[in-house]
Coordinates of all heavy atoms in Angstrom, one line a residue:
M20 N 19.1 -9.9 6.7 CA 17.9 -9.0 6.6 C 16.7 -9.9 6.7 O 16.7 -11.1 6.3 CB 17.9 -8.3 5.3 CG 16.8 -7.2 5.2 SD 16.5 -6.5 3.6 CE 18.1 -6.3 2.9
K21 N 15.7 -9.4 7.3 CA 14.4 -10.1 7.4 C 13.4 -9.4 6.5 O 13.3 -8.2 6.5 CB 13.8 -10.1 8.8 CG 12.6 -10.9 9.0 CD 12.0 -10.8 10.4 CE 12.7 -11.7 11.3 NZ 11.9 -11.8 12.6
V22 N 12.7 -10.2 5.6 CA 11.8 -9.6 4.6 C 10.4 -10.2 4.8 O 10.3 -11.4 5.1 CB 12.4 -9.9 3.2 CG1 11.4 -9.4 2.1 CG2 13.8 -9.4 3.0
V23 N 9.4 -9.4 4.6 CA 8.0 -9.8 4.6 C 7.5 -9.8 3.2 O 7.6 -8.8 2.5 CB 7.1 -9.0 5.5 CG1 5.7 -9.4 5.4 CG2 7.5 -9.1 7.0
V24 N 7.0 -10.9 2.7 CA 6.5 -11.0 1.3 C 5.0 -11.3 1.4 O 4.6 -12.3 2.1 CB 7.2 -12.1 0.5 CG1 6.5 -12.3 -0.9 CG2 8.7 -11.8 0.3
T25 N 4.2 -10.5 0.8 CA 2.7 -10.8 0.8 C 2.4 -11.6 -0.5 O 3.1 -11.4 -1.5 CB 1.9 -9.5 0.9 OG1 2.2 -8.7 -0.3 CG2 2.1 -8.7 2.1
G26 N 1.3 -12.4 -0.4 CA 1.0 -13.2 -1.5 C 2.1 -14.2 -1.8 O 2.3 -14.5 -3.0
S27 N 2.7 -14.7 -0.8 CA 4.0 -15.5 -0.9 C 3.8 -16.8 -1.6 O 4.8 -17.4 -2.1 CB 4.7 -15.6 0.4 OG 3.7 -16.2 1.4
S28 N 2.6 -17.3 -1.6 CA 2.4 -18.6 -2.3 C 2.0 -18.5 -3.8 O 1.9 -19.5 -4.5 CB 1.3 -19.4 -1.6 OG 1.5 -19.5 -0.2
G29 N 1.8 -17.3 -4.2 CA 1.4 -17.0 -5.6 C 2.6 -16.9 -6.5 O 3.8 -17.0 -6.1
L30 N 2.3 -16.5 -7.8 CA 3.4 -16.5 -8.8 C 4.5 -15.5 -8.5 O 5.6 -15.8 -8.4 CB 2.7 -16.2 -10.1 CG 3.6 -16.1 -11.4 CD1 4.1 -17.5 -11.6 CD2 2.9 -15.6 -12.6
M31 N 4.1 -14.2 -8.3 CA 5.0 -13.2 -8.0 C 5.7 -13.3 -6.6 O 6.9 -13.2 -6.5 CB 4.4 -11.8 -8.1 CG 3.8 -11.5 -9.5 SD 5.0 -11.6 -10.8 CE 5.8 -10.0 -10.6
G32 N 4.8 -13.6 -5.6 CA 5.3 -13.7 -4.3 C 6.3 -14.8 -4.1 O 7.4 -14.6 -3.5
S33 N 6.1 -16.0 -4.8 CA 7.0 -17.1 -4.6 C 8.4 -16.8 -5.3 O 9.4 -17.2 -4.8 CB 6.4 -18.4 -5.1 OG 6.1 -18.3 -6.5
E34 N 8.3 -16.0 -6.4 CA 9.6 -15.7 -7.0 C 10.3 -14.7 -6.2 O 11.6 -14.7 -6.0 CB 9.3 -15.1 -8.4 CG 8.8 -16.1 -9.5 CD 9.8 -17.2 -9.8 OE1 11.0 -16.9 -9.8 OE2 9.4 -18.3 -10.1
A35 N 9.6 -13.7 -5.6 CA 10.3 -12.7 -4.8 C 10.9 -13.4 -3.5 O 12.0 -13.1 -3.2 CB 9.3 -11.6 -4.4
L36 N 10.1 -14.2 -3.0 CA 10.5 -15.0 -1.8 C 11.8 -15.7 -2.1 O 12.8 -15.7 -1.3 CB 9.4 -15.9 -1.4 CG 9.4 -16.8 -0.2 CD1 8.0 -17.4 0.0 CD2 10.4 -18.0 -0.3
T37 N 11.8 -16.5 -3.2 CA 13.0 -17.3 -3.5 C 14.2 -16.4 -3.8 O 15.3 -16.7 -3.3 CB 12.7 -18.1 -4.8 OG1 11.5 -18.9 -4.5 CG2 13.8 -19.0 -5.2
A38 N 14.0 -15.2 -4.4 CA 15.1 -14.3 -4.7 C 15.7 -13.8 -3.4 O 16.9 -13.8 -3.2 CB 14.7 -13.2 -5.6
W39 N 14.8 -13.4 -2.5 CA 15.3 -12.9 -1.2 C 16.0 -14.0 -0.4 O 17.0 -13.7 0.3 CB 14.1 -12.3 -0.4 CG 13.7 -10.9 -0.8 CD1 12.6 -10.6 -1.4 CD2 14.5 -9.7 -0.6 NE1 12.6 -9.2 -1.7 CE2 13.7 -8.7 -1.2 CE3 15.7 -9.4 -0.1 CZ2 14.2 -7.3 -1.2 CZ3 16.2 -8.1 -0.1 CH2 15.4 -7.1 -0.6
H40 N 15.5 -15.2 -0.4 CA 16.1 -16.3 0.3 C 17.4 -16.6 -0.3 O 18.4 -16.8 0.5 CB 15.1 -17.5 0.2 CG 15.5 -18.6 1.1 ND1 16.4 -19.6 0.7 CD2 15.2 -18.8 2.4 CE1 16.6 -20.4 1.8 NE2 15.9 -20.0 2.8
E41 N 17.5 -16.6 -1.6 CA 18.8 -16.9 -2.2 C 19.9 -15.8 -1.9 O 21.1 -16.1 -1.8 CB 18.7 -17.0 -3.7 CG 18.1 -18.3 -4.2 CD 17.8 -18.4 -5.7 OE1 18.2 -17.5 -6.4 OE2 17.2 -19.4 -6.0
A42 N 19.4 -14.6 -1.6 CA 20.3 -13.5 -1.2 C 20.7 -13.6 0.3 O 21.4 -12.7 0.7 CB 19.6 -12.2 -1.5
G43 N 20.2 -14.6 1.0 CA 20.6 -14.8 2.4 C 19.6 -14.3 3.4 O 19.9 -14.4 4.6
S44 N 18.4 -13.8 3.0 CA 17.5 -13.2 3.9 C 16.6 -14.3 4.6 O 16.4 -15.3 4.1 CB 16.5 -12.2 3.2 OG 17.3 -11.1 2.7
E45 N 16.1 -13.9 5.8 CA 15.1 -14.6 6.4 C 13.8 -14.1 5.8 O 13.6 -12.8 5.7 CB 15.1 -14.4 7.9 CG 14.2 -15.1 8.7 CD 14.3 -14.8 10.2 OE1 15.3 -14.1 10.6 OE2 13.3 -15.1 11.0
V46 N 12.9 -14.9 5.4 CA 11.7 -14.5 4.7 C 10.4 -14.9 5.5 O 10.2 -16.1 5.8 CB 11.6 -15.0 3.3 CG1 10.4 -14.3 2.6 CG2 12.9 -14.7 2.5
V47 N 9.5 -14.0 5.8 CA 8.2 -14.3 6.4 C 7.2 -14.1 5.3 O 7.1 -13.0 4.7 CB 7.9 -13.4 7.6 CG1 6.6 -13.7 8.2 CG2 9.0 -13.5 8.7
G48 N 6.4 -15.1 4.9 CA 5.5 -15.0 3.9 C 4.0 -14.9 4.4 O 3.7 -15.7 5.3
L49 N 3.3 -14.0 3.9 CA 1.9 -13.9 4.4 C 1.0 -14.2 3.2 O 1.0 -13.6 2.1 CB 1.6 -12.4 4.8 CG 2.5 -11.8 5.8 CD1 1.9 -10.4 6.2 CD2 2.6 -12.6 7.1
D50 N 0.2 -15.3 3.4 CA -0.7 -15.7 2.3 C -1.8 -16.6 3.0 O -1.5 -17.5 3.7 CB 0.0 -16.5 1.3 CG -0.7 -16.6 0.0 OD1 -1.9 -17.0 0.0 OD2 -0.2 -16.3 -1.1
N51 N -3.0 -16.2 2.7 CA -4.2 -17.0 3.3 C -4.8 -17.9 2.3 O -6.0 -18.3 2.5 CB -5.2 -16.1 4.0 CG -5.8 -15.2 2.9 OD1 -5.4 -15.1 1.8 ND2 -6.9 -14.5 3.4
N52 N -4.2 -18.1 1.2 CA -4.7 -19.0 0.1 C -6.1 -18.4 -0.4 O -7.0 -19.2 -0.8 CB -4.9 -20.4 0.5 CG -4.9 -21.4 -0.6 OD1 -4.7 -21.0 -1.8 ND2 -5.1 -22.7 -0.3
M53 N -6.2 -17.1 -0.4 CA -7.4 -16.5 -0.9 C -7.7 -16.9 -2.4 O -8.8 -16.9 -2.9 CB -7.3 -15.0 -0.8 CG -8.5 -14.2 -1.2 SD -9.9 -14.4 -0.1 CE -9.6 -13.1 1.0
R54 N -6.6 -17.2 -3.1 CA -6.7 -17.6 -4.5 C -7.6 -18.8 -4.7 O -8.3 -18.9 -5.7 CB -5.3 -18.0 -5.0 CG -5.2 -17.9 -6.5 CD -3.7 -18.1 -6.9 NE -3.5 -17.7 -8.3 CZ -3.8 -18.5 -9.3 NH1 -4.4 -19.7 -9.1 NH2 -3.7 -18.1 -10.6
R55 N -7.7 -19.7 -3.7 CA -8.6 -20.8 -3.7 C -10.0 -20.3 -3.6 O -10.9 -20.9 -4.3 CB -8.3 -21.8 -2.6 CG -9.1 -23.0 -2.7 CD -8.9 -24.0 -1.5 NE -9.9 -24.9 -1.4 CZ -9.9 -26.2 -2.0 NH1 -8.7 -26.5 -2.6 NH2 -10.9 -27.0 -2.0
D56 N -10.3 -19.3 -2.8 CA -11.6 -18.7 -2.7 C -12.0 -18.1 -4.1 O -13.2 -18.3 -4.5 CB -11.7 -17.7 -1.6 CG -11.5 -18.2 -0.2 OD1 -11.4 -19.4 -0.1 OD2 -11.4 -17.4 0.7
F57 N -11.1 -17.5 -4.7 CA -11.4 -16.9 -6.0 C -11.7 -17.9 -7.1 O -12.6 -17.7 -7.9 CB -10.2 -16.0 -6.5 CG -10.0 -14.7 -5.6 CD1 -8.7 -14.2 -5.4 CD2 -11.1 -14.0 -5.1 CE1 -8.5 -13.1 -4.7 CE2 -10.9 -12.9 -4.3 CZ -9.6 -12.4 -4.1
F58 N -10.8 -18.9 -7.2 CA -10.8 -19.8 -8.4 C -11.1 -21.2 -8.1 O -11.0 -22.0 -9.0 CB -9.4 -19.7 -9.1 CG -9.0 -18.3 -9.5 CD1 -7.9 -17.6 -8.9 CD2 -9.7 -17.6 -10.4 CE1 -7.6 -16.4 -9.3 CE2 -9.4 -16.3 -10.8 CZ -8.3 -15.7 -10.2
G59 N -11.4 -21.6 -6.9 CA -11.7 -22.9 -6.5 C -10.5 -23.8 -6.4 O -9.4 -23.2 -6.3
A60 N -10.7 -25.1 -6.4 CA -9.5 -26.0 -6.2 C -8.4 -25.8 -7.1 O -7.2 -25.9 -6.7 CB -10.0 -27.5 -6.3
E61 N -8.6 -25.4 -8.3 CA -7.6 -25.1 -9.3 C -6.7 -23.9 -8.9 O -5.6 -23.8 -9.4 CB -8.1 -24.9 -10.7 CG -8.5 -26.2 -11.4 CD -9.0 -26.0 -12.8 OE1 -8.6 -24.9 -13.4 OE2 -9.7 -26.9 -13.3
G62 N -7.2 -23.1 -8.1 CA -6.5 -21.9 -7.7 C -5.7 -22.1 -6.4 O -5.1 -21.2 -5.9
D63 N -5.8 -23.3 -5.8 CA -5.2 -23.6 -4.5 C -3.7 -23.4 -4.6 O -3.1 -24.1 -5.5 CB -5.6 -25.0 -4.1 CG -5.2 -25.3 -2.7 OD1 -4.3 -24.7 -2.1 OD2 -5.9 -26.1 -2.1
T64 N -3.1 -22.6 -3.7 CA -1.6 -22.4 -3.8 C -0.9 -23.2 -2.7 O 0.3 -22.9 -2.5 CB -1.3 -20.9 -3.7 OG1 -1.9 -20.4 -2.5 CG2 -1.8 -20.1 -4.9
S65 N -1.6 -24.0 -2.0 CA -0.9 -24.7 -0.8 C 0.2 -25.6 -1.2 O 1.2 -25.7 -0.5 CB -2.0 -25.4 0.0 OG -2.7 -26.4 -0.7
A66 N 0.1 -26.2 -2.4 CA 1.3 -27.1 -2.9 C 2.5 -26.2 -3.1 O 3.6 -26.6 -2.8 CB 0.9 -27.8 -4.1
N67 N 2.3 -25.0 -3.6 CA 3.4 -24.1 -3.8 C 4.0 -23.7 -2.5 O 5.3 -23.6 -2.3 CB 3.0 -22.9 -4.6 CG 4.1 -22.3 -5.4 OD1 5.0 -22.9 -5.8 ND2 4.0 -21.0 -5.7
R68 N 3.2 -23.4 -1.5 CA 3.6 -23.0 -0.2 C 4.5 -24.1 0.4 O 5.6 -23.9 0.9 CB 2.4 -22.8 0.7 CG 2.7 -22.5 2.2 CD 1.5 -22.8 3.0 NE 1.2 -24.3 2.9 CZ -0.1 -24.7 3.1 NH1 -1.1 -23.9 3.4 NH2 -0.3 -26.0 3.0
D69 N 4.0 -25.4 0.3 CA 4.7 -26.5 0.8 C 6.1 -26.7 0.1 O 7.1 -27.1 0.8 CB 3.9 -27.8 0.7 CG 2.6 -27.7 1.6 OD1 2.6 -26.8 2.5 OD2 1.7 -28.5 1.4
R70 N 6.1 -26.5 -1.2 CA 7.3 -26.7 -2.0 C 8.3 -25.6 -1.5 O 9.5 -26.0 -1.2 CB 7.0 -26.4 -3.5 CG 8.2 -26.5 -4.4 CD 7.9 -26.1 -5.8 NE 7.4 -24.7 -6.0 CZ 8.2 -23.7 -6.0 NH1 9.5 -23.8 -5.8 NH2 7.6 -22.5 -6.1
L71 N 7.9 -24.4 -1.2 CA 8.8 -23.3 -0.8 C 9.3 -23.6 0.6 O 10.4 -23.4 0.9 CB 8.0 -22.0 -0.8 CG 7.7 -21.5 -2.3 CD1 6.6 -20.5 -2.2 CD2 9.0 -20.9 -2.9
R72 N 8.4 -24.1 1.5 CA 8.8 -24.5 2.8 C 9.9 -25.5 2.8 O 10.9 -25.4 3.6 CB 7.6 -25.1 3.6 CG 6.8 -24.1 4.3 CD 5.7 -24.8 5.0 NE 4.9 -24.0 6.0 CZ 3.7 -24.2 6.3 NH1 3.0 -25.2 5.8 NH2 3.1 -23.4 7.2
A73 N 9.8 -26.5 1.9 CA 10.8 -27.6 1.8 C 12.1 -27.0 1.3 O 13.2 -27.5 1.7 CB 10.3 -28.7 1.0
A74 N 12.0 -26.1 0.3 CA 13.2 -25.6 -0.4 C 13.9 -24.5 0.3 O 15.1 -24.3 0.1 CB 12.8 -25.2 -1.8
C75 N 13.2 -23.8 1.2 CA 13.8 -22.5 1.7 C 13.8 -22.6 3.3 O 12.7 -22.3 3.9 CB 13.0 -21.3 1.3 SG 12.9 -21.1 -0.5
P76 N 14.9 -23.0 3.9 CA 14.8 -23.2 5.4 C 14.7 -22.0 6.2 O 14.2 -22.0 7.3 CB 16.2 -23.9 5.6 CG 17.0 -23.7 4.4 CD 16.1 -23.5 3.3
R77 N 15.0 -20.8 5.6 CA 14.8 -19.5 6.3 C 13.4 -18.9 6.0 O 13.3 -17.7 6.2 CB 15.9 -18.6 6.1 CG 17.3 -19.1 6.7 CD 18.4 -18.0 6.4 NE 18.4 -17.6 5.0 CZ 19.0 -18.3 4.1 NH1 19.5 -19.5 4.3 NH2 19.0 -17.9 2.8
F78 N 12.5 -19.6 5.4 CA 11.2 -19.1 5.1 C 10.2 -19.6 6.1 O 10.1 -20.8 6.4 CB 10.8 -19.6 3.7 CG 9.3 -19.5 3.4 CD1 8.6 -18.3 3.5 CD2 8.7 -20.6 2.9 CE1 7.3 -18.3 3.2 CE2 7.3 -20.6 2.6 CZ 6.6 -19.4 2.8
R79 N 9.4 -18.7 6.6 CA 8.2 -19.1 7.5 C 7.0 -18.6 6.9 O 6.9 -17.4 6.5 CB 8.4 -18.6 8.9 CG 9.4 -19.4 9.7 CD 9.5 -18.9 11.1 NE 10.1 -17.6 11.1 CZ 9.6 -16.5 11.6 NH1 8.4 -16.6 12.1 NH2 10.2 -15.4 11.6
H80 N 6.0 -19.4 6.8 CA 4.7 -19.0 6.2 C 3.7 -18.7 7.3 O 3.6 -19.4 8.3 CB 4.1 -20.2 5.4 CG 2.7 -19.9 4.9 ND1 1.6 -20.4 5.6 CD2 2.2 -19.1 3.9 CE1 0.5 -19.9 4.9 NE2 0.9 -19.2 3.9
L81 N 2.9 -17.6 7.2 CA 1.9 -17.3 8.1 C 0.6 -17.1 7.3 O 0.6 -16.3 6.4 CB 2.2 -16.0 8.9 CG 3.5 -16.0 9.8 CD1 3.8 -14.6 10.3 CD2 3.4 -17.0 10.9
S82 N -0.5 -17.8 7.7 CA -1.7 -17.6 7.1 C -2.4 -16.4 7.6 O -3.1 -16.5 8.6 CB -2.6 -18.9 7.3 OG -3.8 -18.7 6.5
V83 N -2.2 -15.2 7.0 CA -2.8 -14.0 7.4 C -3.5 -13.3 6.3 O -2.9 -13.3 5.1 CB -1.6 -13.0 8.0 CG1 -2.1 -11.6 8.2 CG2 -1.0 -13.6 9.3
D84 N -4.6 -12.7 6.5 CA -5.3 -11.9 5.5 C -4.7 -10.5 5.5 O -4.8 -9.9 6.6 CB -6.8 -11.9 5.8 CG -7.6 -11.3 4.7 OD1 -7.1 -10.4 4.0 OD2 -8.8 -11.6 4.5
I85 N -4.1 -10.1 4.5 CA -3.4 -8.8 4.5 C -4.4 -7.7 4.6 O -3.9 -6.5 4.7 CB -2.4 -8.7 3.3 CG1 -3.1 -8.7 2.0 CG2 -1.3 -9.7 3.4 CD1 -2.2 -8.2 0.8
R86 N -5.7 -7.9 4.4 CA -6.6 -6.8 4.6 C -6.9 -6.6 6.1 O -7.5 -5.6 6.5 CB -7.9 -7.1 3.9 CG -7.8 -7.3 2.4 CD -9.0 -7.9 1.8 NE -9.3 -9.2 2.4 CZ -10.3 -10.0 2.1 NH1 -11.2 -9.5 1.3 NH2 -10.5 -11.2 2.6
D87 N -6.4 -7.5 6.9 CA -6.6 -7.4 8.4 C -5.5 -6.6 9.0 O -4.4 -7.1 9.3 CB -6.7 -8.8 8.9 CG -7.0 -8.9 10.4 OD1 -6.9 -7.8 11.1 OD2 -7.4 -9.9 10.9
R88 N -5.8 -5.3 9.1 CA -4.7 -4.4 9.6 C -4.1 -4.8 10.9 O -2.9 -4.7 11.1 CB -5.3 -3.0 9.7 CG -4.3 -1.9 9.8 CD -5.0 -0.5 9.8 NE -4.0 0.5 9.9 CZ -3.5 1.1 8.8 NH1 -4.0 0.8 7.6 NH2 -2.6 2.1 8.9
A89 N -5.0 -5.2 11.9 CA -4.5 -5.6 13.2 C -3.6 -6.8 13.1 O -2.5 -6.8 13.8 CB -5.7 -5.8 14.1
A90 N -4.0 -7.8 12.3 CA -3.2 -9.0 12.2 C -1.8 -8.7 11.6 O -0.8 -9.2 12.0 CB -3.9 -10.0 11.4
V91 N -1.8 -7.8 10.6 CA -0.6 -7.5 9.9 C 0.3 -6.7 10.8 O 1.6 -7.0 10.9 CB -0.8 -6.8 8.6 CG1 0.5 -6.3 8.0 CG2 -1.6 -7.7 7.6
S92 N -0.3 -5.8 11.6 CA 0.5 -5.0 12.6 C 1.1 -5.9 13.6 O 2.3 -5.7 14.0 CB -0.4 -4.0 13.3 OG -0.8 -3.0 12.3
E93 N 0.4 -6.9 14.0 CA 0.9 -7.9 15.0 C 2.1 -8.6 14.5 O 3.0 -8.9 15.2 CB -0.3 -8.8 15.4 CG 0.1 -9.6 16.7 CD -0.9 -10.8 16.8 OE1 -2.1 -10.7 16.6 OE2 -0.3 -11.9 17.2
V94 N 2.0 -9.0 13.2 CA 3.1 -9.8 12.6 C 4.4 -8.9 12.6 O 5.4 -9.3 13.1 CB 2.8 -10.2 11.1 CG1 4.0 -10.6 10.4 CG2 1.7 -11.2 11.1
F95 N 4.2 -7.6 12.2 CA 5.4 -6.8 12.2 C 5.9 -6.5 13.6 O 7.2 -6.6 13.8 CB 5.1 -5.4 11.6 CG 5.2 -5.5 10.1 CD1 4.2 -6.0 9.3 CD2 6.4 -5.0 9.4 CE1 4.3 -6.0 7.9 CE2 6.5 -5.1 8.1 CZ 5.5 -5.6 7.3
A96 N 5.1 -6.4 14.6 CA 5.5 -6.1 16.0 C 6.2 -7.4 16.5 O 7.3 -7.3 17.1 CB 4.3 -5.8 16.9
R97 N 5.7 -8.6 16.2 CA 6.2 -9.8 16.7 C 7.6 -10.1 16.0 O 8.6 -10.5 16.7 CB 5.3 -11.0 16.5 CG 5.6 -12.2 17.3 CD 4.6 -13.3 17.1 NE 4.3 -13.7 15.8 CZ 3.2 -13.7 15.1 NH1 2.1 -13.3 15.8 NH2 3.0 -14.0 13.9
E98 N 7.6 -9.9 14.7 CA 8.8 -10.2 14.0 C 10.0 -9.3 14.4 O 11.1 -9.7 14.5 CB 8.6 -10.2 12.5 CG 7.6 -11.2 12.0 CD 8.2 -12.6 12.2 OE1 9.4 -12.8 12.2 OE2 7.4 -13.6 12.3
R99 N 9.6 -8.0 14.7 CA 10.6 -7.0 15.1 C 11.2 -7.4 16.5 O 12.4 -7.4 16.7 CB 10.0 -5.6 15.1 CG 11.0 -4.5 15.1 CD 10.3 -3.2 14.8 NE 9.9 -3.0 13.4 CZ 8.8 -2.5 13.0 NH1 7.9 -2.1 13.9 NH2 8.5 -2.3 11.8
L100 N 10.3 -7.9 17.3 CA 10.7 -8.3 18.7 C 11.6 -9.5 18.6 O 12.6 -9.5 19.3 CB 9.4 -8.7 19.5 CG 9.5 -8.8 21.0 CD1 9.9 -7.4 21.5 CD2 8.2 -9.3 21.6
M101 N 11.3 -10.4 17.7 CA 12.1 -11.6 17.6 C 13.5 -11.2 17.1 O 14.5 -11.8 17.5 CB 11.5 -12.6 16.6 CG 10.3 -13.4 17.2 SD 9.4 -14.3 16.0 CE 10.6 -15.5 15.4
R102 N 13.6 -10.2 16.2 CA 14.8 -9.7 15.7 C 15.7 -9.1 16.8 O 16.9 -9.3 16.9 CB 14.5 -8.7 14.6 CG 15.8 -8.3 13.8 CD 15.3 -7.5 12.7 NE 16.4 -6.9 12.0 CZ 16.4 -6.3 10.8 NH1 15.2 -6.2 10.2 NH2 17.4 -5.8 10.3
E103 N 15.0 -8.3 17.7 CA 15.7 -7.7 18.8 C 16.2 -8.7 19.7 O 17.4 -8.6 20.2 CB 14.7 -6.7 19.6 CG 14.2 -5.5 18.8 CD 15.4 -4.7 18.3 OE1 16.4 -4.5 19.0 OE2 15.3 -4.2 17.1
R104 N 15.5 -9.8 20.0 CA 15.9 -10.9 20.9 C 17.2 -11.5 20.3 O 18.1 -11.9 21.0 CB 14.8 -11.9 21.1 CG 13.8 -11.4 22.0 CD 13.0 -12.6 22.6 NE 11.9 -12.1 23.3 CZ 10.6 -12.4 23.0 NH1 10.3 -13.2 22.0 NH2 9.6 -11.9 23.8
L105 N 17.2 -11.7 19.0 CA 18.4 -12.3 18.3 C 19.6 -11.5 18.5 O 20.7 -12.0 18.7 CB 18.1 -12.5 16.8 CG 17.2 -13.6 16.4 CD1 17.0 -13.6 14.9 CD2 17.8 -15.0 16.9
R106 N 19.4 -10.1 18.6 CA 20.6 -9.2 18.7 C 21.2 -9.3 20.1 O 22.4 -9.0 20.3 CB 20.1 -7.8 18.5 CG 20.0 -7.5 17.0 CD 20.1 -6.0 16.8 NE 19.7 -5.7 15.5 CZ 18.7 -4.8 15.1 NH1 18.1 -4.2 16.1 NH2 18.5 -4.6 13.9
T107 N 20.3 -9.6 21.2 CA 20.8 -9.5 22.5 C 21.4 -10.8 23.0 O 21.2 -11.8 22.4 CB 19.7 -9.1 23.5 OG1 18.6 -10.0 23.3 CG2 19.2 -7.7 23.2
Ligands
NAD3 N1 1.7 -12.3 -12.7 C1 2.3 -11.3 -13.3 O1 2.9 -11.3 -14.4 C2 2.3 -9.9 -12.6 C3 3.1 -8.9 -13.2 C4 3.1 -7.6 -12.5 C5 2.3 -7.4 -11.4 N2 1.6 -8.4 -10.9 C6 0.8 -8.2 -9.7 O2 1.4 -8.9 -8.6 C7 0.3 -9.3 -7.7 C8 0.3 -10.8 -7.5 O3 0.1 -11.4 -8.8 P1 0.3 -13.0 -9.0 O4 0.4 -13.2 -10.4 O5 1.5 -13.4 -8.1 O6 -1.0 -13.5 -8.4 P2 -1.3 -15.0 -7.7 O7 -2.8 -15.1 -7.7 O8 -0.5 -16.0 -8.3 O9 -0.8 -14.8 -6.2 C9 -1.5 -14.0 -5.3 C10 -1.4 -14.6 -3.9 O10 -1.9 -13.7 -3.0 C11 -2.7 -14.5 -2.1 N3 -3.8 -13.6 -1.6 C12 -4.8 -13.0 -2.2 N4 -5.5 -12.2 -1.4 C13 -4.9 -12.3 -0.2 C14 -5.2 -11.7 1.1 N5 -6.2 -10.9 1.3 N6 -4.4 -12.0 2.1 C15 -3.3 -12.8 2.0 N7 -3.0 -13.4 0.8 C16 -3.8 -13.2 -0.3 C17 -3.3 -15.6 -2.9 O11 -3.7 -16.7 -2.1 C18 -2.1 -15.9 -3.8 O12 -1.3 -17.0 -3.3 C19 -1.0 -8.8 -8.3 O13 -1.3 -7.5 -7.7 C20 -0.7 -8.6 -9.8 O14 -1.5 -7.6 -10.4 C21 1.5 -9.7 -11.4

C-alpha cells in the first residue's frame, strides 16, 4: 500500500509514518517545516525528517504546503501515476 502522511516530520506524523512503514507500506510524507516558522529554530523539524529518511527506506519526503490545493492534487496525481506504472 502507498500512504500519504501530512505533517510527517512532526510528532504525530512521524509516529504514523513509522507505523505505516513498519507495516510494509510505501510512505510519502508532506511537510514544509512550517513548525520552524511558528516557533523559530527550536521548532525546526528537519532533523526528524532526516532521521526518518535514514531509518525508513520506503519513505519519501516532499516539501509541500498542504494548504496549497493545486500542489497537493499534483502529488496525488503523480503518485497514482507512479503506482500505475509499477503495475504494468
Ligand atoms: N501531539 C499530540 O499529542 C496530538 C494528539 C492528538 C491530535 N494532535 C493533532 O495532530 C496534529 C499534529 O500535531 P503534532 O503534535 O504532530 O504537531 P507538530 O507540530 O509536532 O507537527 C506538525 C507538523 O506539520 C508541519 N506543518 C505545519 N503546517 C504545515 C503546512 N501548511 N504544510 C505542510 N506541513 C505543515 C510542521 O512543520 C510539523 O512538522 C495537530 O492537528 C494536533 O492538534 C496532536
Side-chain angles (χ1 to χ4, degrees):
M20 192 188 322
K21 186 185 276 190
V22 178
V23 173
V24 174
T25 59
S27 52
S28 305
L30 183 66
M31 300 302 283
S33 58
E34 290 295 328
L36 182 168
T37 303
W39 281 110
H40 190 269
E41 281 174 7
S44 296
E45 182 183 346
V46 186
V47 179
L49 307 184
D50 198 308
N51 65 350
N52 203 6
M53 183 70 91
R54 199 171 194 283
R55 185 186 166 93
D56 291 354
F57 290 145
F58 302 115
E61 282 185 20
D63 193 331
T64 56
S65 55
N67 207 25
R68 175 204 62 207
D69 293 344
R70 178 185 64 77
L71 292 160
R72 270 180 170 155
C75 305
R77 293 182 310 283
F78 162 56
R79 280 182 296 121
H80 173 265
L81 299 175
S82 183
V83 169
D84 188 330
I85 61 165
R86 298 167 300 177
D87 184 343
R88 194 180 183 91
V91 173
S92 294
E93 194 198 316
V94 168
F95 274 83
R97 194 175 60 234
E98 294 296 332
R99 201 168 282 140
L100 195 66
M101 284 170 66
R102 190 171 171 170
E103 294 304 318
R104 283 203 189 118
L105 284 176
R106 280 200 191 124
T107 56

